[in-house]
Each structure stands twice: as structure tokens, then as C-alpha cells.
Amino acid sequence: MSTFAARMATVQPSATLKVAAEAERLRRAGHPVVDFSAGEPDFPTPEHVKAAGKAAIDANFTRYTVVAGIPELREAICKRYKSDYGIDLTPAEVLVTVGGKQALFNTAMALFAEGDEVITHSPYWPTIPEQVKLVGAEPIIVPTGPADGFAVHADKIINAITPKTKAIILNSPANPTGGLISEQTVRQIGEAAAKRGIWTIIDLCYEQLIYEPVPHNLPKALFDTNRERTVLCGSASKAYAMTGWRCGWTIATREVTSAFNTIEGQTTSNITSVTQKTALAALTGPQDAVRVMLDEYRRRRDSIHSWLTAHPGIKCVKPSGAFYLFPDISGLLSSDSGVKTSFEFAQQLLEKEFVVVTPGEAFDAPGYLRISYATSMEQLREGATRILRFAESIQPAKAGA
Ligand SMILES: Cc1ncc(COP(=O)(O)O)c(C=O)c1O
């Protein structure tokens, strides 16, 4: 008999965290590692946010809070969604979570069970299907491709619906592609879901990190079409360089929020009290830091994109949001070179050039690499040089051409 519960047989450990751990091991061993695996901003948390954390400690704001999160933080989240998206919320529809990850997890726990199918799109952030499996449901994957910038098409999602479909999970801007889902698509999906009593869940973790001013009012598209069965999952992590503080939230009906509250109350309780004060400062204070970081990500995106795509074997859609480049390197793979898969490419790149990237296999997209450009321009330049050198080294015939 297995030691572990049956559910453990279906769930994979986080591949992205595994790559990050390997990078750390090599760094500790003294190697000149260039790390493109980070799923987090390299910027420090803004000063006024840190100050709010220090003030909270000094004021001994260090006890349990209500599970859902302090009222002023939930109020601030409501105001933010009103000003950003024009949607009306009450604090009873908001629950503060340990990052966007727990927002999605509470959702999976409360809504999915054995026998349910949950549709999502690939390439995906692996946590999305893994959490579906963790609660005994089955992820149904609808692939997207580079020809149209990894666009999610409503008809493909709707065609995947069966009588077992419980929910559709969308992610925009998406990790790892940086693609955005259009309002029209989300509206169509919302309408189809409403007709069939299916839940629509959207992971908006990168919602503040969109490079061009394109319409992206996905919360409104879902509220207009499927209000009663929609869950919005947000996070302070990426926009405010607050990954370690751990603050996210769900927005759903009062009834669903109450179910989330029960789950959270029996698992983690409230998120760290001090973090709640910092998230409040982040959401209600000056937003300049977000713009500064976005401008810098844009500069980095344009640079690394142009450096890498100069190689004829590397093709890459320019991401519209988030901070990942997702190049197609299938043109560099072959059985003669000994590098047949993107997994092998990433492994050998690490061994030979100490550059850490996440292979596309982790996102259900073999033939691709995920390169996080949440790192300095110097590191990007150095890493790109090493990647190009490695690409040449595995293509001896073409190298001299
Ligand atoms: C698509 C996506 N959603 C959610 C998260 C959750 O982040 P956090 O738990 O730090 O809010 C991440 C983190 O990498 C992500 O990439």
C-alpha cells in the first residue's frame, strides 16, 4: 500500500520552483549563473509599502485578523476594481488570500470535485491544472499557438464543454506566453458558461503589467455575462514587487466568498497581519512605482526579443503582458545535435553556459523556453550571448554558414 494519499499520484511538484532551486544550487557552488527562471520582479518592494510593514510591526499589529482580511484592505480592493473596471463590489465579496495561488486553490477546493472537468488553455502556468487534479477533478486543455500570438478562441473553449464541465479557468495576461485574452472572447465564453451553469474563473495576477493600452476589462465582461458564477483571482505579488509578502484575493458572490472563508478558516486562517497593511499601502498609495517597473520591463522585453530573434532558429511572439519571453526553439532541435527537446536544451544550457531557463515542457509546450526578463539588462545581455553561443554550438553545420 502506498504511503501517500491517492491524490499525490496525480500531482506534479512545481517545475518552475524546481528550476529555481537548481539555479540556487549552482550559484552556491560558485558558478556564474544567469537566472532567467524567476517568476518574480527583481525590483525591491516600493519604499512606502515597506514603511507600512515596519509601522505595522511597531504598532504591534501582529495578531490574528479576521479570516477574510481586514475590512480596510477589502474596501481598498473594491475601490480598485471600481476605478479600474467600473464594477461594483462590497467587501463581503472579497477574500484576502496567501497570494494568487491560494485564491485559485480556495476556488478549486470550493467548486471542483471528482468527476468534474475543468477547461483551461495551454501553454499554461502549471499550478492551474495541478490544483484541479489536487482536488480530484480533471483538467481539459485547449491548446493555443504562436501563429496568432497564442490567442484564446472562444469557439475552441466552448467546443471543449461537455456535460461534466464544471468550470473554465482563464489567465490573462498569461504566464508563460504574455498573451492577452480579448474582451470579446471572454464575453462569449461568459455567455456560453452562463447558459450552461458553468463557472468562469480568471487569474488576473499580471493585470497591471500590460505594455500597450489595449482594452482588457475582463472582469466586466464576466460580470455582465456570468456574474453569479464568476471568480476573479488577483494578486499584489507582481505589480508591486511583493512576491514574498504573500497577498492575493478572490472576488466572487457573497455566498461563494463565504465558502472560501470556511476553507481558509480551516487551513491558513488570515494572511499575515503585517502583509495586509503593506497591501493596503500598495493599493491605495502612489502608483508611480508600477509604471516605472512596467517601463523597464518593456525596455528589457524589446532588447531580449531583438537579440534572440536575430538567430534564424529562434522565433518569438512579442509578449503583450507579464514579464516572460516564450521563444519557439524547435528550429534548433535535432537528433544529430544531441539536443532533441527543449528539456534537453534547457538542461545542457545550464550545464554548459550556466543559464537557467524553464523548458516549455513545464507549460505543456515542448519546443519552447520560458525566459523571465525580470532581471537586469546586464544579465539579459550576458544570458542572450550565452544562449546564442550555445545555439551555434549545437548547430555546427549552420554555424559557419
Ligand atoms: C499565472 C499566475 N497566476 C498566479 C500566480 C500566483 O502568484 P502569487 O501566489 O505570488 O500571487 C502566478 C505566480 O507565478 C502566476 O504566474
Side-chain angles (χ1 to χ4, degrees):
M1 217 169 81
S2 162
T3 312
F4 298 111
R7 77 176 67 86
M8 293 312 295
T10 62
V11 181
Q12 301 294 317
S14 163
T16 47
L17 294 183
K18 213 156 97 185
V19 174
E22 178 61 5
E24 184 55 24
R25 192 187 65 77
L26 288 170
R27 211 176 284 116
R28 278 172 187 272
H31 296 293
V33 170
V34 172
D35 188 356
F36 291 155
S37 72
E40 61 181 341
D42 56 317
F43 298 100
T45 302
E47 286 306 321
H48 71 282
V49 175
K50 292 194 288 193
K54 290 175 197 164
I57 294 171
D58 289 342
N60 294 314
F61 190 72
T62 52
R63 302 224 161 100
Y64 292 134
T65 70
V66 287
V67 169
I70 53 174
E72 56 270 43
L73 176 54
R74 282 182 286 142
E75 193 72 60
I77 294 169
C78 295
K79 282 201 180 124
R80 168 53 72 86
Y81 278 72
K82 176 73 180 167
S83 62
D84 285 0
Y85 301 117
I87 60 177
D88 291 304
L89 296 169
T90 64
E93 294 167 298
V94 177
L95 186 102
V96 178
T97 59
V98 183
K101 211 172 228 181
Q102 194 192 17
L104 288 159
F105 188 65
N106 286 350
T107 308
M109 279 293 276
L111 301 180
F112 318 149
E114 217 149 293
D116 291 338
E117 291 178 354
V118 178
I119 299 170
T120 194
H121 47 99
S122 75
Y124 49 59
W125 180 50
T127 293
I128 291 175
E130 293 307 323
Q131 288 188 344
V132 171
K133 290 194 260 169
L134 201 50
V135 298
E138 188 188 348
I140 303 294
I141 308 302
V142 174
T144 67
D148 53 5
F150 298 100
V152 171
H153 294 285
D155 57 339
K156 291 198 180 136
I157 298 276
I158 295 164
N159 285 341
I161 294 175
T162 75
K164 289 185 178 173
T165 305
K166 186 71 188 279
I168 296 164
I169 307 181
L170 304 171
N171 171 218
S172 181
N175 173 7
T177 66
L180 302 181
I181 309 181
S182 77
E183 290 180 353
Q184 165 76 352
T185 299
V186 172
R187 206 164 271 279
Q188 284 170 353
I189 292 171
E191 277 162 8
K195 261 190 229 153
R196 297 164 176 84
I198 293 170
W199 293 85
T200 42
I201 295 144
I202 186 147
D203 176 357
L204 292 164
C205 171
Y206 297 94
E207 66 191 315
Q208 303 289 330
L209 302 180
I210 297 179
Y211 296 104
E212 313 308 331
V214 292
H216 193 256
N217 195 339
L218 308 190
K220 179 128 179 30
L222 288 181
F223 269 40
D224 285 350
T225 53
N226 198 26
R227 173 75 178 92
E228 293 304 304
R229 285 200 179 79
T230 282
V231 182
L232 311 178
C233 296
S235 172
S237 287
K238 317 286 178 170
Y240 299 104
M242 288 183 67
T243 45
W245 296 90
R246 311 306 299 131
C247 179
W249 49 83
T250 47
I251 292 169
T253 61
R254 188 184 266 267
E255 189 192 5
V256 177
T257 303
S258 160
F260 294 162
N261 197 317
T262 303
I263 292 166
E264 197 156 305
Q266 297 295 11
T267 52
T268 55
S269 299
N270 59 275
I271 78 162
T272 307
S273 55
V274 172
T275 290
Q276 296 187 49
K277 292 287 192 184
T278 59
L280 179 63
L283 287 166
T284 57
Q287 300 296 302
D288 323 18
V290 182
R291 280 185 288 274
V292 169
M293 288 189 272
L294 186 63
D295 286 346
E296 179 58 21
Y297 290 137
R298 186 186 294 103
R299 238 164 46 84
R300 295 170 181 180
R301 174 196 66 167
D302 293 345
S303 302
I304 182 92
H305 183 268
S306 73
W307 294 331
L308 292 183
T309 54
H311 193 290
I314 303 178
K315 294 195 187 67
C316 190
V317 175
K318 219 185 229 193
S320 303
F323 41 59
Y324 309 103
L325 209 65
F326 199 58
D328 172 358
I329 56 147
S330 54
L332 299 173
L333 308 173
S334 73
S335 30
D336 334 329
S337 68
V339 184
K340 296 185 291 299
T341 64
S342 42
F343 181 80
E344 288 173 5
F345 187 99
Q347 228 172 9
Q348 293 194 28
L349 182 67
L350 185 58
E351 281 160 21
K352 299 197 171 128
E353 294 284 0
F354 301 112
V355 176
V356 192
V357 296
T358 314
E361 283 83 348
F363 312 98
D364 196 25
Y368 290 80
L369 299 178
R370 190 189 76 171
I371 294 174
S372 164
Y373 47 88
T375 188
S376 71
M377 200 62 107
E378 295 69 39
Q379 287 286 288
L380 287 171
R381 178 76 261 188
E382 175 61 24
T385 304
R386 294 191 205 174
I387 291 173
L388 293 172
R389 185 164 63 209
F390 179 67
E392 289 299 311
S393 77
I394 61 170
Q395 292 202 302
K398 286 184 198 156

